[in-house]
Amino acid sequence: MQNTSLKQEFLKNWIKGLQLHSSFNKNTTIFERRKAIKLSADIAIASTRNSTTRWSRALIADASRDGSNKTLIEKISGREVPHKASLGLIRCSKRILKRSRFARRRAAPVAGLIAKKLVKSRTRALKRLVPGGEGMDEISLIKETIDYIVSLRVQVDVMGRMATAADRLIPFKTI
Amino acid sequence: MFAGNAEMSVLERQRARLNWQQESLIQHQPFAFFSENEHFVGDFLMGNGDQGFSELLLGRAMKPNPGFEDGWQGLNYGNGSEFCPLPRTSISPPAMAATNAGKAALSSATGKESFKKRKADRNHIPKAAAEERSQDKKMKGCAEEDTKLTEQNSNSKSTITTANDNNNNKGTSDQKLKPSEAPKQDYIHVRARRGQATDSHSLAERVRREKISERMKYLQDLVPGCNKVTGKAGMLDEIINYVQSLQRQVEFLSMKLAAMNPRLDFETDNYLAKEMFQVCASSIPAIGPSSESVNPTHLQFNGLGQGVLSRGLEMGANPPDVALRRTISAPVSILDTLLDSSCLNQIQPLTWDTELQNLYGMDYQQGRSTSFVSQPFTGIRL
């Protein structure tokens, strides 16, 4: 099955990220830890895609934009291509697309049909949800959404297993 | 209805006109003509002759030129559907004579005139005009179709379309691209139904929409509960909800893991081992969700990944130290723990990487193993 290999890869990356994080900063609050876990999980799931999809690239770009120490994590957990140039390019193109979209919207009158409006608003909402979705057209948005959903399921699955395993193990361990 | 009427009237008119001409020829009374209609007679005397005129008429009768017909119809309509021949003949010649005779000039003039009439009368006779326009456009449409379709079937197809179009003469020019079995594969095959536009923009738009709907179908299969929803907006709603719920789940899980992180950090190796087993066990379909049985997997795991469990046991063996360390600095890093524990135990000089590799190797080995899983599956099974 393709999903199991995906899961294994995700888990490997995630564990690596967690190790790195815990080796870097030792004294953390629960929120920081949560953030770190989330971030490493995101980066891990993104790096399973080898930056072939746009949402994964956007995720990595966002993570690397957030902080300087996170770029380190991201670089090591997702070893592939967190190049500055490509990230800048993505950001730049996104910005341009945004601007053009706004311009178009200003120019064109609002679509008459209610259904069209509804679909448009939903598409906008979906674009906000999928990382890097703002610069996509509809076809690639749907494609990326499919991929993103698959990856999110993998993420949820593995993390849920991890959580339950932790739940199970800790009482067993502490006894 | 109008068209049939018009055709009838045209035939009738022409017949009557011929009759009338023959009569006039037999009678040879130009003066009567003069008195009746000086334009026509002037035209007649100026050298058109009856032959020319009859030729003209015959030509008119032979060629069902839509412009002519329309012109006649226009005239007919203008007259208000009277059927006596004489007034009509007296009406039609002035139109000809107004342009000062000459056969070619005549025909062109009548053409022009009829064209004008057609334009003028389009409001009055929309259906007949529409039919003739559609006939005109049918030819163009067929030609376009020929260019667009592949060479083989085009002729038969176009004839079929024309045959079909006789039934319904609205929007016939728009109907192209019949489902031809195109032998060339470099086309993107688009099927246009009746009334669909066929210019390149709308074709591209249709291709785009088809792609979107295809992917939406796939997405529908992927997202649970999306099958019941019809309509794109509803489907998008479901998708959005699903993605949001997944993201929230990830958030929640990370929160949960963060809450147990101090211990988690300490034992990531154990989790990792178990996780790997779970992951590889989940690939086997015949697995009970809560099978607590200890099986060869476990033994093998013990045998192979001694490091993990033995270290765990070792840690369990000297709890005060561990507890002390936990209380002092809760989130101990894994590497530190690893180093510490290995130093403490002096059993396993394994580094993380080798251990990881070990585990992974084991993981791949144990694809055949049935179940190590003691936890119920909470995550969504894929």
Side-chain angles (χ1 to χ4, degrees), chain A residues 13-23 36-37 40 162, chain B residues 334:
Chain A
N13 289 330
W14 188 34
I15 296 293
K16 259 189 236 165
L18 283 179
Q19 285 167 32
L20 279 165
H21 172 259
S22 50
S23 68
I37 287 174
S40 52
M162 185 75 112
Chain B
I334 301 164

Side-chain angles (χ1 to χ4, degrees), chain A residues 8 11-12 14 22 26 33-34 38 122 129 138-139 146 148 153 161-162 166-167 170 173, chain B residues 208 215 232 237 242 247 251 255 258 260-261 263 271 275-276 278 331 333 336 360 363 377:
Chain A
Q8 283 167 4
L11 188 68
K12 200 167 76 178
W14 188 34
S22 50
K26 319 227 168 191
R33 253 180 279 128
R34 188 194 69 169
K38 176 85 175 20
R122 258 80 170 186
L129 278 183
E138 210 170 337
I139 294 176
I146 290 170
Y148 186 56
R153 278 164 132 182
R161 275 159 201 240
M162 185 75 112
D167 266 347
I170 284 158
K173 195 69 199 293
Chain B
R208 186 178 144 269
R215 273 166 192 165
K232 206 177 168 193
D237 261 344
Y242 188 57
Q247 282 176 345
E251 288 278 342
M255 190 69 199
M260 56 181 76
N261 198 22
R263 291 168 295 177
Y271 292 140
E275 275 311 309
M276 295 325 283
Q278 279 179 17
S333 74
D336 283 354
Y360 285 136
D363 175 32
F377 287 89

Side-chain angles (χ1 to χ4, degrees), chain B residues 285-296:
Chain B
I287 185 170
S290 62
S291 58
E292 304 244 6
S293 61
V294 181
N295 40 22

Side-chain angles (χ1 to χ4, degrees), chain B residues 140-180:
Chain B
K140 284 180 203 165
C142 291
E144 281 177 13
E145 203 169 342
D146 286 354
T147 58
K148 280 193 179 178
L149 285 174
T150 51
E151 297 79 5
Q152 291 181 349
N153 304 324
S154 62
N155 282 326
S156 59
K157 291 283 177 186
S158 61
T159 52
I160 286 166
T161 53
T162 49
N164 284 338
D165 289 345
N166 285 333
N167 300 330
N168 180 3
N169 51 15
K170 264 204 167 182
T172 45
S173 65
D174 288 337
Q175 192 209 14
K176 281 159 221 167
L177 290 182
K178 279 272 169 179
S180 68

